[in-house]
Amino acid sequence: MKVIVKKTTEQMSREAAQIFADLIRQKPNCVLGLATGGTPVKMYQELIRMHKEEGLDFSKVITFNLDEYLGLPGDHDQSYRYFMNDNLFNHINIKKENTFVLNGTAKDPKLYCEGYEMLIKALGGIDIQLLGIGGNGHIAFNEPGSPENSRTRIVDLTKETIAANSDGRFFKDPKDVPTQALSMGVATIMEARKVVLIANKSSKADAIVKTVEGRVSVDVPASFLQKHKDSVVIVDEDAASKLSKTYA
Ligand code: GLP
């Protein structure tokens, strides 16, 4: 696991965007795994800037998102489909039909999740997967206890995650947050050829030290990334504040 510590959120975002941009230039039809939440917003802004100012071309890029709230249609302003359109897809030259976000209103969610896994494989697998991290160490919506062999499925959200997503940034009231979601599993994420996890703010410092320096455990799903052959953790100084070793 490679760890990169940057002074600011802006630098963290630029570093991560650069990794994605390098791949897009080298492999124009690459398959990207994307994430939602507050953390990647500035990275997406940097990719939009690169598209507008440097001609970064998304016309052949394919994307798969990690997760979606169960029951929310894509036009709901808190759905992750809406988030992705609003924060990235509407501002670059990606073909919408090449962007896959789990459908929270699928009629048969279990079957639908199996189809999502098949589609990822059929399109060649994910080249780079972007991840944020929850304060409890969750990745996508793989809450503590999610097994290493888990795949795209219906999951229950913890109270902590529901609270974190209704603290005024996203949902206004915890009662409005769906209690379940569809989420790629730990095994789905581990199959990506490269994984980039980004985290900023001191509220992530505990989760980051457990992820990077702790024991690999289902209690901290992000710790499984220690076993990935090409995983990079990019953090700002606040999120890095509890790490005991010094990283570049
Ligand atoms: C949600 C998402 C995760 C994300 C996490 C952290 O639970 N499902 O993919 O990493 O929140 O979000 P934030 O970046 O807003 O702190």
Side-chain angles (χ1 to χ4, degrees):
M1 185 180 247
K2 186 175 169 194
V3 181
I4 300 172
V5 181
K6 291 283 168 187
K7 252 197 160 38
T8 65
T9 298
E10 286 69 24
Q11 288 170 347
M12 172 203 81
S13 305
R14 277 204 295 275
E15 181 82 17
Q18 196 59 54
I19 295 175
F20 280 75
D22 287 347
L23 174 70
I24 295 166
R25 289 197 181 100
Q26 186 196 318
K27 184 179 176 187
N29 62 344
C30 58
V31 180
L32 306 180
L34 299 179
T36 52
T39 315
V41 170
K42 285 209 162 96
M43 174 191 153
Y44 291 153
Q45 286 169 1
E46 176 64 4
L47 288 175
I48 294 167
R49 187 199 65 73
M50 288 168 152
H51 167 66
K52 295 201 164 134
E53 293 176 12
E54 299 167 13
L56 184 64
D57 180 15
F58 290 83
S59 62
K60 296 195 181 76
V61 171
I62 295 168
T63 66
F64 283 93
N65 261 79
L66 287 166
D67 45 14
E68 179 61 283
Y69 290 109
L70 188 64
L72 290 198
D75 58 0
H76 187 289
D77 66 1
Q78 291 306 326
S79 75
Y80 284 167
R81 160 55 75 184
Y82 189 99
F83 175 100
M84 288 310 302
N85 288 348
D86 199 34
N87 284 284
L88 182 64
F89 300 151
N90 287 349
H91 311 285
I92 55 176
N93 67 331
I94 198 160
K95 296 197 177 81
K96 280 278 167 65
E97 64 267 30
N98 286 345
T99 68
F100 299 97
V101 181
L102 284 153
N103 177 1
T105 59
K107 281 218 171 62
D108 183 340
K110 193 170 171 286
L111 197 68
Y112 175 80
C113 288
E114 285 166 19
Y116 199 72
E117 289 271 339
M118 283 161 66
L119 192 60
I120 294 172
K121 284 206 176 76
L123 293 177
I126 293 171
D127 289 301
I128 306 188
Q129 177 65 58
L130 178 68
L131 296 173
I133 186 167
N136 61 2
H138 76 247
I139 45 175
F141 272 133
N142 293 289
E143 297 280 23
S146 298
E148 193 172 0
N149 63 359
S150 52
R151 296 212 160 261
T152 307
R153 68 206 186 288
I154 303 176
V155 293
D156 296 325
L157 305 186
T158 60
K159 278 209 183 78
E160 198 178 349
T161 297
I162 290 173
N165 286 302
S166 56
D167 62 356
R169 298 174 308 154
F170 300 118
F171 290 91
K172 298 219 163 48
D173 190 312
K175 286 199 287 297
D176 299 334
V177 185
T179 55
Q180 291 187 306
L182 304 180
S183 177
M184 279 189 201
V186 174
T188 325
I189 293 167
M190 290 294 282
E191 273 168 16
R193 287 182 270 280
K194 185 182 185 84
V195 179
V196 174
L197 185 148
I198 55 175
N200 62 343
K201 301 193 179 150
S202 54
S203 57
K204 300 293 171 69
D206 277 325
I208 287 297
V209 70
K210 287 181 189 157
T211 297
V212 174
E213 296 177 352
R215 183 169 67 79
V216 177
S217 154
V218 288
D219 298 336
V220 184
S223 67
F224 286 121
L225 299 177
Q226 289 181 24
K227 294 167 79 173
H228 194 284
K229 62 179 183 343
D230 189 3
S231 59
V232 186
V233 173
I234 309 172
V235 286
D236 75 348
E237 283 189 344
D238 291 336
S241 60
K242 295 201 173 161
L243 292 173
S244 65
K245 297 183 203 141
T246 309
Y247 302 89

